[in-house]
Amino acid sequence: MALGEMEGAGPEPEDGKNQEPGIVTTRNILESFTESQEVSGLIGNLKEVFGDLVSREMTMEKFIGIMDKYQEQPHLLDHHLEWMMNSLLDIIRDNGSPPPLVHLAFKFLYIITKVRGYKLFLPLFPHEVGDLQPVLDMLVDQNPKDSETWETRYMLLLWLSMICLIPFDLARFDGNTISEEGHARMPTMDRILKIAKCYLVVSDKARDAAAVLVSKFIVRPDVRQKRMADFLDWTLSMLSKSSFQTMEGTVVMNGMLQALAQLFKHGKREDCLPYAATVLECLDNCKLSESNQMVLRKLGMKLVQRLGLTFVKLKVAKWRYQRGCRSLAANLQAQGSVVQNQMVTVAANEADDEEEYDIPGEIENVVEQLLVGLKDKDTIVRWSAAKGIGRITGRLPKELADDVIGSLLDCFSFQETDNAWHGGCLALAELGRRGLLLPSRISDVVPVILKALTYDEKRGACSVGSNVRDAACYVCWAFARAYDPVELIPFINQISSALVIAAVFDRDVNCRRAASAAFQENVGRQGTFPHGIDILTAADYFAVGNRVNCYLTISVYIAGFPEYTQPMIDHLVNMKINHWDSVIRELSTKALHNLTPRAPEYMANVVLPRLLPLSVGTDLHTRHGAILACAEITHALCKLAEENNRSITYYFNEKSLEGLKQIHQELCSRQLYRGLGGELMRPAVCTLIEKLSLSKMPFRGDPIIGGWQWLINDSLRSLPLVSSAARQHIKESAVSALAALCNEYYINEKGEADPALQDELVTQYVSELQNTEEMIRCGFSRALGALPRCLLKGRLQQVLEGLKKVTLISPADVSFAESRRDALIAVAKVCQTVGVKAEGSQEEYICKDNVTQIYATLLSGVTDYTTDSRGDVGGWVREAAMTSLMEVTLLLVQNEAELINANICKQIMCWLAQQSAEKIDKFRAHAGFVFLTLLHFDHPPVPHIPHREELERIFPRSEKETLNWNAASEAFPRITQLLGLPTYQYYVLLGLSVSVGGLTETTGVCTSPDNAGPNAGKRLF
């Protein structure tokens, strides 16, 4: 119930793997009730449609649909409520209206009430004397157990609660108490009470209306004198006899608690005070705090605070803080300077406060229960308790109020649960909003709120605390409105930094948005936040919706303001690199990389020395984040030194360089690469190796290089032993590290590699390609693709032959689709690395002697239709083959186009056409993309494409980007036109045959002859 919820918008989708789960909500901002004529027509037609079930349901659904649009803007209905109510009441009052029609009219009334709320709707009910008897008679005729007509009973009880306010003694309506049959007739007062009691113990919505009826009826002067004591006795006896352990008891207790809470809310203090102590004692005996029924605990909290307000006199505390000037315009005109304190001086004259406070002993019990309620496990109970604390504290003397605040601050202990922290924040916000938290207490409260803004407790595989952080933002929002700027000046830098950090670095989108809203409120109300307007422009409510954007872009902009740079860096180092969520840890390290240019000296001299011990520490998450942070910061510092024409080691001392080298050796000696922890350590250290290599660290010839090489090789060999979720990340990290390591430390000044090292590395990697473990083949295939040109020189044919063997399907490895995929990807990478030279050696370049072999390997992948328990795994191979074909073809076209002969080009385009008729959307879309890329490439154009002119007519260049291949209805009408081109006919027909027989109705329909153009049917059959 804090700021994020108050804003009410759902999270927006985020890019990539960092997308946060949530619901995307789109709001239509309405300006008026535009459907009034339609609603009038629906109400007018009720008499015609009520008899027909279908028509009645359609009318009801249409009316609900119209009303639901105004759930978030119900005030737009205000000018129309009266005529809608009168139209429906005309039907209800008509003696000729059959019961089903009356019930239907009441249902319509209930729907309107649900949208606008009964409190605003209630005064519109007609409440003449003449309405009392008909409404009572209608209620008597109702069956409390009829589940179909509860809306009727609910609305009648609300109507009766309005009628019973008529200013006449109810005894006047009784007349002769002897009925015509000679039996004593029940007085009107007793009839109404009987109805109220009857519906207080039902389980439907009518119970809520009965509680409202009681609160209006019992407080009437004539009823209060005669029936109030009896009614309270009845409710307390019902409470005492009922147990929340049973369903029936829960229903009864709910009704009684609602009635008592409403009664003590609306009744006069002097009328309720004699009974308050008895009710409190009965409530204590019920022990509702032990109930697992959230609603009962909430109602108990509501009743406790109402009883507390009854015990103390209704008065505004003269000691409360009152802020004078609240003008936004004045704050903004001040342009950051503190607005002059125009606070109305607190009436500090003790002489003015002559009236003594009379505080009964029960107040201590009430406050204690409310403080316990702040720690309840459910939010609505905590929220009710927080409001109760605020209301009661406002009626206490200053000393007692200060004691309450002191007890409240005890909630913020790290021995307390997140529930206590959340409830405490809500209560602080309430006290601040009401001016009950005096400026002298701000120095105690601000440190607590700063802790709450970063509260995050790990529980198992996740954490709790997002509600605490959200509520802490609400406190900051409330304080912005409550205090004069001069009161918060000593804390401005702390609060502004904490809110910026929460708005940019919080894991949860609702907390980031709440912090942004609180920051905005402070900028407007206080006018003292440094660079407030500039930051708001960059970090507004919508901008902070994307987490990646917050960490990597917005944070860099805000860190440009010196007041925020160091707090942001410290927060990432202290709170985020050890976060339980690996995504947050990785994002934080990337953010540190981006922030390094803002404070390079601080990063080198303070942050890096602090991280190095953590990178070999005992806590797994901290170690993982610290290693990644060391890698990113080191890389950023080296890039900065290079840009400024300084030595690479300008920012590093010997101790830092030695610490970076020691990370791998320490982890290896402590065997921290093993087990589940190794799944985090291996990719982290591989990233460290990559970044240190890219940073050109002076480690050439150092033994550590051999250790790094061992880790890369061991990580690739260990892929079968790690979980499937971590495999891809470990493989990619190791391959990236290998590429960077080879480029920096294995190549001499002449650009050549050591022959012995080359022979050992290439021979070892090629031999691993025939390993019986699929994942090892995958890893070393990608490793070969990452090798630099100097290590492939003279070994190209050996590498290509080894990769070709991996792509072949044999009975032993038919299911090794992933290794075939990675081998095809590696072939394209190797080709791009070595380059093209038509007359060159086949051991060094792509040339006329090996180009046919390369294309044969790649084209074999397009025919892979292997399936297993995972489905069409051959699709992965086909997708990789198409990508590699495109990359190799474009490489040849740009360098030696004559190496592409007509036959090769024909095979490529025909196979792509077949794949473009694929039934799986993802693969069809990829094939279509590759097909159009080759067709429309013009730097220079791809030679020998069959039927180029016809293809460009079917697939115009202007539609290259807009054609949606994922949509079968768009793709197949185009693809089937290729049936008219002889070269493509067989292949397209083959693809369409597979799609027609597919399991999905969409592809089956879209590939049928009826959808293939005017002549396609003739060509097909």
Side-chain angles (χ1 to χ4, degrees), residues 769 777-778 780-787 792 796-808 819-836 845-846 850-861 877 880-889 891-892:
L769 295 179
R777 292 189 184 189
C778 289
F780 285 98
S781 294
R782 295 294 292 272
L784 284 169
L787 291 178
L792 293 171
L796 179 59
Q797 206 57 29
Q798 179 187 358
V799 170
L800 289 176
E801 282 295 333
L803 291 171
K804 179 182 178 182
K805 289 178 184 177
V806 181
T807 64
L808 299 177
S819 64
R820 295 196 290 276
R821 174 198 66 195
D822 285 350
L824 291 169
I825 293 172
V827 168
K829 297 297 181 190
V830 167
C831 292
Q832 290 174 319
T833 302
V834 298
V836 184
Y845 301 98
I846 301 178
N850 60 14
V851 70
T852 306
Q853 171 201 344
I854 292 169
Y855 269 116
T857 302
L858 296 178
L859 286 167
S860 68
V877 184
M882 289 186 285
T883 303
S884 297
L885 280 169
M886 177 179 71
E887 291 174 351
V888 172
T889 303
L891 177 68
L892 292 174

Side-chain angles (χ1 to χ4, degrees), residues 715-848:
S715 296
L716 294 174
R717 287 195 193 94
S718 303
L719 286 175
L721 305 177
V722 301
S723 65
S724 56
R727 269 180 205 152
Q728 188 68 17
H729 186 38
I730 293 176
K731 179 175 67 178
E732 290 173 356
S733 300
V735 168
S736 299
L738 176 68
L741 185 71
C742 291
N743 277 314
E744 180 57 31
Y745 298 114
Y746 290 169
I747 303 174
N748 60 26
E749 293 78 6
K750 298 178 182 178
E752 298 174 353
D754 177 19
L757 177 66
Q758 178 189 18
D759 180 61
E760 180 189 352
L761 206 60
V762 174
T763 304
Q764 179 187 358
Y765 282 14
V766 171
S767 66
E768 294 285 5
L769 295 179
Q770 292 305 307
N771 197 292
T772 54
E773 287 286 351
E774 180 186 18
M775 286 300 113
I776 294 179
R777 292 189 184 189
C778 289
F780 285 98
S781 294
R782 295 294 292 272
L784 284 169
L787 291 178
R789 189 176 186 281
C790 65
L791 288 175
L792 293 171
K793 188 178 180 181
R795 300 281 184 161
L796 179 59
Q797 206 57 29
Q798 179 187 358
V799 170
L800 289 176
E801 282 295 333
L803 291 171
K804 179 182 178 182
K805 289 178 184 177
V806 181
T807 64
L808 299 177
I809 301 177
S810 64
D813 54 19
V814 66
S815 64
F816 286 11
E818 289 178 78
S819 64
R820 295 196 290 276
R821 174 198 66 195
D822 285 350
L824 291 169
I825 293 172
V827 168
K829 297 297 181 190
V830 167
C831 292
Q832 290 174 319
T833 302
V834 298
V836 184
K837 191 174 182 181
E839 301 299 328
S841 166
Q842 64 178 353
E843 291 292 352
E844 295 186 26
Y845 301 98
I846 301 178
C847 61
K848 62 182 180 181

Side-chain angles (χ1 to χ4, degrees), residues 374-436:
L374 292 176
K375 304 175 185 179
D376 194 272
K377 63 181 179 179
D378 287 299
T379 301
I380 64 166
V381 181
R382 298 195 293 271
W383 183 232
S384 183
K387 288 190 287 187
I389 290 282
R391 287 169 179 150
I392 290 175
T393 306
R395 298 190 186 180
L396 296 178
K398 185 176 178 180
E399 293 76 16
L400 286 181
D402 197 61
D403 289 344
V404 172
I405 293 168
S407 301
L408 177 59
L409 290 175
D410 291 340
C411 290
F412 300 97
S413 159
F414 281 100
Q415 281 77 39
E416 293 287 359
T417 64
D418 59 300
N419 296 332
W421 279 71
H422 181 244
C425 285
L426 294 178
L428 284 177
E430 278 296 305
L431 292 172
R433 226 166 45 84
R434 297 168 184 269
L436 305 173

Side-chain angles (χ1 to χ4, degrees), residues 269 308-314 358-360 363 392 395-396:
R269 178 177 178 267
L309 292 171
T310 304
F311 286 126
V312 289
K313 290 182 179 179
L314 178 60
D358 182 21
I359 306 298
I363 279 295
I392 290 175
R395 298 190 186 180
L396 296 178

